Amino acid sequence: GIQVEQSPPDLILQEGANSTLRCNFSDSVNNLQWFHQNPWGQLINLFYIPSGTKQNGRLSATTVATERYSLLYISSSQTTDSGVYFCAATGNQFYFGTGTSLTVIP
Amino acid sequence: DTGVSQDPRHKITKRGQNVTFRCDPISEHNRLYWYRQTLGQGPEFLTYFQNEAQLEKSRLLSDRFSAERPKGSFSTLEIQRTEQGDSAMYLCASSKVGHSPYEQYFGPGTRLTVT
């Protein structure tokens, strides 16, 4: 199956800082999605981004499918950004990375 | 537009018992997915349906697991003869073919604890 690797595994930021999360995938994929899992376990859609760049407020994402990676940018981080960020890549089945655990401290 | 709902939210059961979980997808979403997530890991794909047809099953879905979507709307996931290793969060997601067919929306999950 497709291997999805995320880095870094853990990240601690001061409120207001910027960060970049990376997702590498082992094979060509049809689709890529970024999720935020809040402390209660709910997975929240951030971006559906098989290729190109999208922005939503303080968050943006870029996928370069030919080079098999995607990046999630968080600017001016807030404490509510804390949680685990997952990317998921889909071919015939659906594969999640192991996540980046983000803690934003005030 | 209500989101994906799952019931129950928490289930504690004794080893050897059977359990059944329910998932109601977003209305008009014809694809429905089941995942399992253990502590510190990303969700692992179990199976998915398009309408009432079960199109993919992971090797994780042992003979003790069965999923149904009889009328193409809600789905149930049953685990027979539960084992302690079945303790996990069971997540359901849905998507709509023809829109962004692989853009999945997740429910809040059912947390299973097997004692």
Side-chain angles (χ1 to χ4, degrees):
Chain A
I2 296 170
Q3 305 299 313
V4 180
E5 295 181 352
Q6 292 187 243
S7 60
D10 299 282
L11 188 58
I12 300 175
L13 296 176
Q14 198 79 37
E15 197 168 28
N18 303 329
S19 62
T20 301
L21 282 57
R22 186 176 180 103
C23 172
N24 292 332
F25 38 94
S26 63
D27 205 344
S28 57
V29 298
N30 299 327
N31 304 278
L32 190 119
Q33 236 174 310
W34 282 96
F35 298 90
H36 175 214
Q37 190 164 43
N38 66 21
W40 297 271
Q42 174 76 55
L43 279 163
I44 299 164
N45 285 30
L46 296 178
F47 294 102
Y48 173 71
I49 185 164
S51 63
T53 297
K54 290 186 178 179
Q55 180 154 9
N56 184 3
R58 297 181 296 104
L59 273 59
S60 63
T62 295
T63 296
V64 184
T66 53
E67 297 187 21
R68 301 180 185 170
Y69 74 88
S70 184
L71 302 174
L72 178 69
Y73 306 96
I74 304 174
S75 64
S76 305
S77 58
Q78 301 176 357
T79 55
T80 52
D81 295 332
S82 295
V84 183
Y85 290 79
F86 288 104
C87 66
T90 63
N92 290 326
Q93 290 193 0
F94 310 92
Y95 303 92
F96 277 75
T98 51
T100 292
S101 178
L102 174 65
T103 303
V104 181
I105 54 178
Chain B
D1 182 20
T2 57
V4 178
S5 61
Q6 293 187 245
D7 183 68
R9 296 290 306 277
H10 303 272
K11 179 70 176 179
I12 300 173
T13 191
K14 292 186 177 180
R15 190 177 56 188
Q17 297 295 304
N18 299 342
V19 294
T20 300
F21 310 140
R22 176 178 170 127
C23 171
D24 287 86
I26 294 171
S27 60
E28 298 183 355
H29 277 201
N30 41 13
R31 283 194 175 177
L32 187 148
Y33 312 83
W34 285 99
Y35 292 83
R36 180 175 70 186
Q37 186 178 22
T38 53
L39 201 61
Q41 301 297 315
E44 296 173 293
F45 170 78
L46 293 178
T47 189
Y48 92 89
F49 293 83
Q50 181 160 318
N51 300 314
E52 64 274 13
Q54 189 171 17
L55 296 186
E56 289 275 354
K57 288 172 62 173
S58 164
R59 284 171 289 182
L60 292 174
L61 213 65
S62 76
D63 292 345
R64 297 184 298 106
F65 287 70
S66 63
E68 294 183 344
R69 195 182 183 200
K71 296 182 180 179
S73 57
F74 73 91
S75 176
T76 57
L77 178 68
E78 181 183 16
I79 308 174
Q80 296 182 328
R81 305 181 302 281
T82 52
E83 302 173 357
Q84 287 188 320
D86 297 330
S87 295
M89 176 80 90
Y90 289 84
L91 295 164
C92 177
S94 69
S95 69
K96 185 175 180 180
V97 175
H99 179 237
S100 300
Y102 299 101
E103 185 173 9
Q104 300 180 40
Y105 295 83
F106 279 80
T110 294
R111 186 171 296 281
L112 173 66
T113 303
V114 181
T115 61

